[in-house]
Amino acid sequence: MGFFDKLRAELIDIIEWIDDSRHTLVWRFPRYQNEIKHGAQLIVRPGQTAIFVHRGEIADVFEPGHYTLTTDNLPILSTLQGWKYGFDSPFRSEVYFVSTKQITDLKWGTPNPIMMRDPDFGPIRLRAFGTYGLRAIDPRALLKELVGTDGQFDADEVTELMRSMINTSLADMLGENQIAALDLAGKYNEFSEQLRQFVCERVDDEYGLDVPQLFIVNISLPEEVEKAIDTRSSMGVIGDMNKFQQFQMGNAMMAAAENPAGGGAAEGMGLGMGFAMANRMVGAGGGFTGQTGAAPPPPPGGVWHISHNGQTLGPFTKDQVVQGMAAGQVPESSYAWSAGMSAWTPINQVAEFSGSTPPPPPPPPAAN
């Protein structure tokens, strides 16, 4: 310290800490050569504790209040310095102020996923984050174990230690409870308190700290697992997948029919949707079914490919092509091909399909 610091130490006899910070846990009162005058005034405000340290040994501790420093209220310091009949002014001692108020808005999170065995999904990885509060409850232990000779000790300096303890406690808690991941969200309050108790058992005696509150804000699964759960939920909401696909195909066919500007592309879409629906609805016996079983043997009539407006679709059975022609989904201008044919042939010239197209309706009656 310079000349002005020395001069201020000679003039000022009030020892106090006006705490305008939010995260400072310990602050050392600055004095030139740690000299304190006889009869100096010590002011300890609510939410503070003052500790006198002499040559590395913790002496007297003062709770909130206003004190005049004499041998009467410095018994331990008097013993350490050998005062029998009072002390000379000034005397030397370090004064540390410890904040005992609660520090909130501290955050924790899992830097790496926690592995656990889930009854529904098997081995999975979980991440979690939340908030917690911190408070000093044993200034002596805090000063010995963490602060040392630091002039100022902030909550940020113990954040990594606290996060490590919270993450370790979280892994232990999840391992002990063995609850399904999908049921965790309903137990955030219960697990928050349980996790807080786990952490307090590890920090209160050793470091003189307390965790008055701790909250689990979220426990999440890996992104790919969440997407799989969303897909599974969507399938459960849909219900009968066969009926849903038929409904979607019908809507697409109607949209294609109502869009004549699409030309050949719209006709090709309608043709493909029609055949897809036929594949879903026509069973081996020609009936309607929504179930799939073992793959049937190749049909005796072979398989066919249909070409229309440059788009090729298939393979289809003969019955499916006939149904498509009857429904108007296979135009007469289409071409057909099957194994053994040398080239694509107009469908109305293929013996298997000749006569499959229904005759055009008769002309309407003449008006009277």
Side-chain angles (χ1 to χ4, degrees), residues 81-110:
Q81 298 211 25
W83 298 330
K84 296 181 179 179
Y85 309 104
F87 57 88
D88 296 330
S89 180
F91 65 93
R92 293 184 179 182
S93 178
E94 299 174 1
V95 182
Y96 289 86
F97 284 89
V98 179
S99 174
T100 57
K101 66 182 181 181
Q102 182 179 168
I103 299 176
T104 58
D105 71 350
L106 300 175
K107 297 177 175 58
W108 64 271
T110 51

Side-chain angles (χ1 to χ4, degrees), residues 262-287:
E267 294 178 4
M269 182 187 301
L271 179 63
M273 289 294 181
F275 279 136
M277 183 175 291
N279 283 330
R280 299 291 304 174
M281 299 176 61
V282 177

